[in-house]
Amino acid sequence: MVNVTVDPLTRIEGHLRVSTEVDANGVVTDAQSSLLLFRGFERILQHNDPRDAALLVQRICGVCPLSHSLTSTNALDNLYGVAEQVPKDALVTRNIFQGLNMIASHATHIYVLWGPDLANPAYKNVLATLGDTGNAVWKEMVGRFAPISYKIDGVPVPAGSSYMAAIPEKKRLQEAIAVIGGRMPGPVTPYPGGYFYKPSLPDIEKLASYYLEVMDFVSNYTLKVPFDTWIANTYKASSPQKAVSFVTEHLTDLINKTKGSNDFSRAAGWGDAEFYAAFGSELVGEKLLGLPASLKHDLIGGYKDPSKINFLSYGGYYKPKDGYDPKSPAEDRIFPSGVVTGKLEYLKFDSDKITESTAHSFYQNSVEDLQPAKGETVPFTDPNQIVYNNDSKSRYSWDKAPRYDGIPAEVGPLARMLNMKEPLVTGLALAFNEKGYSAANVYTRMMARIQETAILAHELLTWVTVDYDPNGKIAVPLDLEKGKNSTGMGLWEAPRGALGHWVSTDGNGKVVTYQCVVPGTWNMSPRDSAGVPGPMEQSLMGSKINAVGNILGVDYANPVGIFHIGRSYDPCISCAVHTIDLTGKNAPRTLRIL
């Protein structure tokens, strides 16, 4: 048995240590996900005015500050008793605000954080065994996804065309957010009871112009099939089977056109989405399309025991009406809340079934399993107790272990698409399940993120041009008395998954407790009090560590399989952990945002 540790896993947000035990066949037999720093925001917020929380919690993460701000605003809507009164146009503005951020986050992950792994030299060696076809596929992979300042065998490689084109689109989307957020990161406009700024008609026109420029990128790089055609035949398809059939028929046409030429370029109709859809999966690429090889990403990052995993969504994006239900029933959001079991059974979401375990975390809480509303954050202060390379029976992470009804849950695009029964992603999951594959794997996670980006682009146009009324009401006043001796819960969907904030106040209206359960806490969690591994730990175990199923043997020095699996969750560790101060000089005190 060989220990293969990636510390830190790079091209993610924050500090993640992935430790695995790998057998002689290159298969992971045990895994530990260790989050290396303590997040102290729950303690920072104590004794402060809760209205500051929507601004302060943005500092948890610079990638998705909007998500924390909106989730906190939801919690404060609930705390002050105004959730059911928030005006429609304030909610639509929040949708636009979050939609822009989620598209920007997904594009960054697909092209800049995860995509460069497709240019790993391990694939060059594997694909070279397939002659001209393999060499053509490799040429496209490195030509599209190679990062800046990259070398292969000591030779500099130009940055990929898709990689480079995605970077200015990230900037453009950040600028669009600033139009209605004041600035990005650190926007200042979300506020309990509505929204602090009413976007004007010129603002909407400016957003529309940004939208058109982003869609140029989509049509030039991401999807070569017309965008409206893709949406109509996948997101709007009448059944999962028809959505999958549309994609496989489209890919078959592309393959037939390139027979003999090995031309997999964009000019030949191969957008980045089409290219990965065809070559990323053994089932789709080899078995359904008849391609000579695939990256076999559907064979890694799956779950061996369906009884030990759920797919959880809190629900995201408000329906265009006045008010919303803080408990987020499925019918209340555009992306519905829900729970899908590992056997693809659908359950109703109940926030009371969420708990957090600290059995394998560096906390000395009075109770190991608590609901977030009653949560504690009492860290170890003895550095001798903080050991990241402990065995799986010990404590090894600053991350807590959230569970839904006692079961680990994957959160993020795949969970959202399954819970909303999105036809393409649901169809792929059903196909993998029927053929004996894990419905969740690296391939379905990435396809879900690609598909969700397309769906959000489609919905965003409606929010901007149809649902929002520049003359509409944007906020309702707060009764600060209602914020005394009160509690609030904010449930939302960040780009990386289910995000919840829980707050309680005292008789002076100041924060007593504040708890955040973030997507990284769910996905990268350690074992719980029952010893069950978290989602990423489970998905590593049983997976092979090298390219294309270790086809060229075992290379412990280049575990691209571990890279793929870890990054397929788009980890945001800064959301889950931060720093700890043992000096005693920085005790909780009042902070004000002026």
Side-chain angles (χ1 to χ4, degrees), residues 383-397:
N384 294 318
Q385 292 180 284
I386 302 168
V387 181
Y388 298 112
N389 59 358
N390 275 331
D391 61 35
S392 298
K393 295 181 180 180
S394 304
R395 299 176 187 265
Y396 55 88
S397 179

Side-chain angles (χ1 to χ4, degrees), residues 43-312:
R43 294 160 69 86
I44 291 171
L45 289 165
Q46 290 174 4
H47 315 302
N48 281 284
D49 189 312
R51 290 172 295 170
D52 287 343
L55 297 175
L56 288 171
V57 296
Q58 293 181 36
R59 277 69 186 172
I60 289 176
C61 178
V63 175
C64 45
L66 280 69
S67 304
H68 282 286
S69 182
L70 285 175
T71 306
S72 180
T73 302
N74 283 352
L76 299 179
D77 287 340
N78 189 205
L79 183 83
Y80 290 107
V82 295
E84 292 83 359
Q85 304 166 39
V86 180
K88 183 266 289 184
D89 290 297
L91 298 179
V92 173
T93 305
R94 291 182 187 180
N95 284 351
I96 296 168
F97 188 67
Q98 178 67 88
L100 289 166
N101 176 233
M102 195 172 285
I103 293 172
S105 180
H106 284 352
T108 302
H109 179 255
I110 293 165
Y111 284 108
V112 181
L113 303 180
W114 188 86
D117 276 338
L118 297 178
N120 190 296
Y123 286 117
K124 177 183 179 182
N125 299 332
V126 172
L127 292 168
T129 64
L130 300 176
D132 291 342
T133 298
N135 289 329
V137 172
W138 168 249
K139 178 183 176 182
E140 286 298 322
M141 287 167 61
V142 73
R144 296 181 191 220
F145 304 115
I148 295 172
S149 302
Y150 193 52
K151 292 182 179 180
I152 296 179
D153 298 330
V155 179
V157 175
S161 57
S162 296
Y163 179 101
M164 291 301 294
I167 293 173
E169 296 310 312
K170 166 77 168 181
K171 177 177 181 289
R172 200 186 316 278
L173 286 161
Q174 300 288 78
E175 292 172 352
I177 293 168
V179 170
I180 59 171
R183 63 187 184 188
M184 178 62 191
V188 295
T189 46
Y191 192 76
Y195 201 76
F196 195 70
Y197 172 73
K198 180 188 289 188
S200 64
L201 187 58
D203 291 331
I204 298 303
E205 291 172 347
K206 189 176 291 186
L207 288 176
S209 70
Y210 278 118
Y211 176 86
L212 292 174
E213 291 179 277
V214 171
M215 291 309 296
D216 283 342
F217 169 82
V218 172
S219 62
N220 289 328
Y221 290 91
T222 308
L223 275 171
K224 297 307 293 184
V225 66
F227 182 73
D228 289 343
T229 301
W230 179 271
I231 290 294
N233 289 280
T234 57
Y235 179 42
K236 299 294 185 179
S238 59
S239 71
Q241 293 74 22
K242 287 190 176 181
V244 173
S245 293
F246 166 76
V247 173
T248 54
E249 288 168 9
H250 172 53
L251 296 176
T252 298
D253 289 341
L254 290 176
I255 292 167
N256 290 336
K257 291 176 183 176
T258 56
K259 276 185 178 177
S261 68
N262 290 318
D263 183 1
F264 303 111
S265 67
R266 292 189 197 89
W270 290 88
D272 298 327
E274 286 104 334
F275 184 83
Y276 185 71
F279 288 99
S281 161
E282 177 187 81
L283 175 61
V284 175
E286 296 181 52
K287 296 185 178 180
L288 297 182
L289 300 177
L291 292 169
S294 70
L295 306 182
K296 299 187 189 298
H297 287 175
D298 46 359
L299 297 182
I300 58 174
Y303 301 113
K304 297 173 66 175
D305 186 348
S307 70
K308 293 181 179 179
I309 196 69
N310 285 322
F311 301 94
L312 171 67

